[in-house]
């Protein structure tokens, strides 16, 4: 090859390299969990598809993640429940996870009358003034449940400090550090699957029937593009059988039909 050919080849390679857009950097915080892995599977799939972004993950509690993001350190956090306060400062993706609505679960040693299984949270706690409700300080349970917790007398709340930890809360309920726990049925089913004793569900009214988790980001041009790309991938993924199976794997079979019905309604409402 003559010198002219070599020069043309080098110019072509350089121009091709320059033309290729560089991946945009995104730092995403995650509160690691050893429990239900639905969100981890969904996020792994999203990451495999979003090759136009260089995603760096960092482990952090929700509280620390949100403080860092507010201070301009990092862009997003995974699996966050939408509430009014967060919506004032954060942008949210379409849902990455779906959960059947919260329930109240009682420790197995708690004695319940049949008449106590259909009431609201306030009435339940009023009728048992010595009982404690276990909640996590850094966790939002959604606007409806958060409002109920705020209205609960402080001396009837057991508030766990630190990172969200569903496994620890389940263990504390079973050891009766508190009598009642606010949790999703799928989370309880996962931790109780091999247990001889299981928490007792109480049908408490007022909670949203379905709740969703999202990727939440501070508002920048890069994060708006990132969330648009996430939503584009999710639009196809939610129609994929794998998406449903990643959820049903962690839900008691007796609740599969209920979950599918609620999921179908949620999808229809978004069309």
């Amino acid at each position: 090859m003559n010198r002219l050919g070599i020069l043309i080849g080098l110019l072509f390679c350089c121009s091709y390299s320059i033309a290729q857009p560089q991946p945009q950097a995104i730092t995403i915080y995650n509160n690691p969990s050893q429990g239900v892995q639905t969100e981890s599977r969904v996020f792994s799939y999203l990451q495999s598809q979003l090759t136009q972004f260089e995603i760096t993950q960092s482990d952090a509690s929700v509280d620390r993640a949100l403080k860092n993001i507010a201070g301009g350190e990092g862009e997003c956090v995974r699996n966050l429940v939408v509430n009014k306060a967060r919506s004032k400062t954060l942008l949210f993706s379409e849902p990455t996870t779906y959960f059947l609505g919260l329930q109240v679960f009682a420790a197995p040693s708690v004695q319940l009358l049949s008449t106590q299984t259909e009431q609201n949270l306030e009435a339940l706690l009023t009728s048992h003034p010595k009982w404690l409700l276990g909640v996590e300080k850094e966790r939002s349970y959604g606007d409806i449940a958060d409002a109920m917790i705020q209205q609960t007398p402080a001396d009837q709340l057991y508030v766990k400090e630190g990172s969200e930890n569903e496994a620890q809360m389940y263990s504390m309920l079973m050891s009766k550090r508190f009598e009642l726990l606010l949790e999703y049925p799928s989370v309880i089913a996962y931790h109780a699957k091999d247990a001889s004793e299981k928490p007792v569900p109480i049908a408490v009214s007022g909670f949203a029937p379905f709740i969703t988790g999202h990727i939440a980001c501070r508002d920048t041009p890069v994060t708006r593009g990132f969330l648009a790309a996430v939503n584009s991938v999710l639009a196809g993924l939610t129609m994929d059988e794998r998406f449903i199976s990643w959820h049903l794997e962690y839900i008691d079979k007796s609740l599969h039909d209920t979950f599918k019905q609620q999921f179908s309604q949620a999808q229809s409402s978004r069309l």
Side-chain angles (χ1 to χ4, degrees), residues 94-95 98 234-236 238-239 263-271:
E94 291 296 309
Y98 292 79
L234 283 171
T238 52
M239 304 298 291
F263 178 77
S264 178
Q265 290 178 2
Q267 293 299 101
S268 297
S269 67
R270 293 181 179 276
L271 296 179

Side-chain angles (χ1 to χ4, degrees), residues 36-265:
V36 175
Q37 296 299 301
T38 299
E39 190 275 340
S40 293
R41 295 188 180 186
V42 172
F43 187 81
S44 292
Y45 179 84
L46 291 174
Q47 188 170 10
S48 73
Q49 302 300 305
L50 299 172
T51 55
Q52 68 271 44
F53 295 93
E54 184 179 344
I55 298 173
T56 299
Q57 295 196 66
S58 180
D59 291 345
S61 69
V62 171
D63 188 56
R64 184 162 72 85
L66 293 178
K67 286 179 180 177
N68 287 353
I69 290 171
E73 182 181 344
E75 284 74 35
C76 306
V77 59
R78 288 167 47 181
N79 206 31
L80 209 64
V81 171
V82 179
N83 64 30
K84 292 178 181 178
R86 292 170 175 175
S87 296
K88 292 178 181 178
T89 57
L90 297 171
L91 303 177
F92 287 85
S93 72
E94 291 296 309
T96 55
T97 50
Y98 292 79
F99 288 90
L100 289 174
L102 290 162
Q103 279 187 282
V104 175
F105 291 87
S109 57
V110 169
Q111 298 297 313
L112 286 170
L113 300 174
S114 59
T115 55
Q116 295 173 333
T117 61
E118 295 182 3
Q119 54 190 306
N120 59 45
L121 181 60
E122 181 182 5
L124 178 63
L125 290 171
T126 299
S127 61
H128 297 281
K130 293 185 179 181
W131 285 6
L132 295 178
L133 174 68
V135 295
E136 298 183 75
K137 182 177 180 180
E138 293 189 11
R139 180 176 178 181
S140 173
Y141 297 85
D143 285 320
I144 294 174
D146 287 348
M148 291 185 186
I149 293 169
Q150 290 174 1
Q151 293 166 7
T152 299
D155 61 0
Q156 282 196 273
L157 289 176
Y158 182 102
V159 182
K160 176 189 168 296
E161 303 279 348
S163 300
E164 289 185 24
N165 191 323
E166 62 190 36
Q168 187 177 11
M169 293 298 285
Y170 173 83
S171 177
M172 292 168 75
L173 174 71
M174 297 304 286
S175 62
K176 208 178 175 183
R177 293 283 293 276
F178 41 79
E179 287 77 14
L180 304 173
L181 175 65
L182 200 57
E183 192 50 272
Y184 300 113
S186 57
V187 171
I188 295 298
Y190 175 81
H191 291 291
K193 59 184 177 182
D194 297 321
S196 56
E197 279 194 313
K198 301 179 187 295
V200 180
I202 304 175
V204 175
S205 63
F207 296 119
F210 219 41
I211 199 161
T212 53
H214 306 251
I215 296 174
C217 305
R218 59 190 176 100
D219 188 359
T220 70
V222 171
T223 59
R224 286 196 294 269
F226 174 69
L227 290 175
V230 166
N231 291 341
S232 178
V233 176
L234 283 171
L237 180 60
T238 52
M239 304 298 291
D240 192 309
E241 290 184 1
R242 288 175 295 178
F243 187 77
I244 291 291
S245 68
W246 291 338
H247 285 78
L248 294 181
E249 182 179 348
Y250 296 97
I251 298 174
D252 189 272
K253 290 183 178 180
S254 65
L255 298 173
H256 281 196
D257 288 343
T258 301
F259 178 87
K260 290 177 181 178
Q261 180 183 9
Q262 291 289 347
F263 178 77
S264 178
Q265 290 178 2

Side-chain angles (χ1 to χ4, degrees), residues 8-22:
I8 292 172
L10 288 173
L11 289 172
F12 176 80
C13 289
C14 290
S15 64
Y16 179 80
S17 176
I18 293 172
Q20 297 307 299
Q22 295 299 308

